[in-house]
Amino acid sequence: MARLALARRIGWSPAIRPDEELIGDALGGQTEAFSELSSRHRQRVERLCQRFFSDREIARDLAQEAFLKAFAALATYRAEMPFGAWLRAIVVNVCYDELRRRKRRPEDLVGDFSEPELGWMQLVTTATPEELVGEAEERREAHDLAHRLLDLLKPEDRMVLVLKDSEELGVAEIATMLGWSEAKVKIRAFRARHILRKQAERMMNAGRARVLK
């Protein structure tokens, strides 16, 4: 860090150090090297956590937990795999553990809607569930509704849907990451989409019923 500050003071930018070099320094006891590594990947890690949890504070806490686990397991990292992919597997498992700790009842999740949610819902009565989830990236009310839908899924189904559709990972990659067979990933993905379609229809019907009251 001192070297970076000195470089800025004298007006030149040092070359970006590869992840593997920072990892080597961190394993050698230079904790600032891991801090630099964490800063480099933090935005992507927090964004992944937010795909599973809409609350930004929860996402930040889980991101921090993932970095702590990564630091503790750093000696197991092998350069054959990009560090970002290795870190992503840790983040996914941290989020998966948290999802399994949280048990929500479907009747608690499809009920009260805010006015922005109701207004937006009127505009998407013909949208597919996939389009509804996709809109989560653009509008806050869509984001909240999409997470209500995802909250209705079992942790395993939710993991597969997010990793396959949002992170665009392949079946084999997801299977390796979660320690599942490829057949299980495919079955979970099919079931998740089926449940999501049914619950989206139920949610939209509930919203329309409230609008008509």
Side-chain angles (χ1 to χ4, degrees):
M1 297 299 285
R3 181 169 55 185
L4 183 59
L6 175 61
R8 287 172 177 163
R9 282 201 301 273
I10 64 178
W12 61 271
S13 299
I16 296 175
R17 302 171 65 197
D19 286 350
E20 288 72 19
E21 183 179 331
L22 292 171
I23 292 167
D25 288 349
L27 289 172
Q30 298 181 32
T31 55
E32 68 274 11
F34 190 78
S35 295
E36 185 177 341
L37 197 62
S38 299
S39 296
R40 182 178 296 177
H41 292 274
R42 184 168 298 278
Q43 186 175 358
R44 276 174 288 182
V45 167
E46 289 187 359
R47 185 169 61 245
L48 177 54
C49 291
Q50 286 173 16
R51 293 198 187 281
F52 295 104
F53 301 94
S54 59
D55 189 304
R56 292 185 181 275
E57 288 302 316
I58 292 174
R60 290 193 191 100
D61 288 345
L62 291 172
Q64 187 60 28
E65 181 181 343
F67 280 119
L68 290 173
K69 286 183 179 293
F71 182 75
L74 199 58
T76 68
Y77 169 72
R78 296 293 177 265
E80 292 81 11
M81 174 185 291
F83 177 74
W86 181 81
L87 179 61
R88 181 172 58 192
I90 292 175
V91 176
V92 164
N93 280 282
V94 166
C95 291
Y96 185 28
D97 288 343
E98 183 64 20
L99 285 174
R100 286 186 292 185
R101 282 195 290 267
R102 294 165 176 261
K103 292 188 177 180
R104 305 285 298 278
R105 295 179 302 170
E107 58 268 27
D108 293 335
L109 297 164
V110 182
D112 296 329
F113 298 93
S114 67
E115 289 305 316
E117 287 176 340
L118 287 171
W120 183 81
M121 193 177 291
Q122 287 180 283
L123 300 176
V124 295
T125 53
T126 59
T128 67
E130 289 84 355
E131 289 169 339
L132 179 62
V133 173
E135 280 291 316
E137 300 296 327
E138 304 297 330
R139 299 178 60 167
R140 183 69 215 183
E141 57 267 33
H143 176 277
D144 294 340
L145 284 169
H147 273 276
R148 287 197 191 208
L149 277 173
L150 291 172
D151 282 343
L152 295 168
L153 298 176
K154 290 183 178 181
E156 294 82 0
D157 296 338
R158 183 169 181 169
M159 292 300 299
V160 169
L161 197 66
V162 170
L163 293 176
K164 195 170 188 301
D165 293 349
S166 297
E167 289 296 299
E168 298 182 345
L169 300 184
V171 170
E173 193 171 1
I174 295 171
T176 299
M177 187 177 295
L178 298 176
W180 297 352
S181 67
E182 292 187 21
K184 180 176 179 179
V185 172
K186 291 176 182 177
I187 291 170
R188 287 286 183 183
F190 176 82
R191 185 166 70 176
R193 288 196 180 92
H194 176 70
I195 294 172
L196 199 64
R197 287 177 185 278
K198 290 181 62 177
Q199 295 297 350
E201 183 178 352
R202 179 187 173 199
M203 181 181 286
M204 289 179 182
N205 288 338
R208 283 197 293 266
R210 280 201 54 195
V211 170
L212 293 174
K213 283 184 180 180

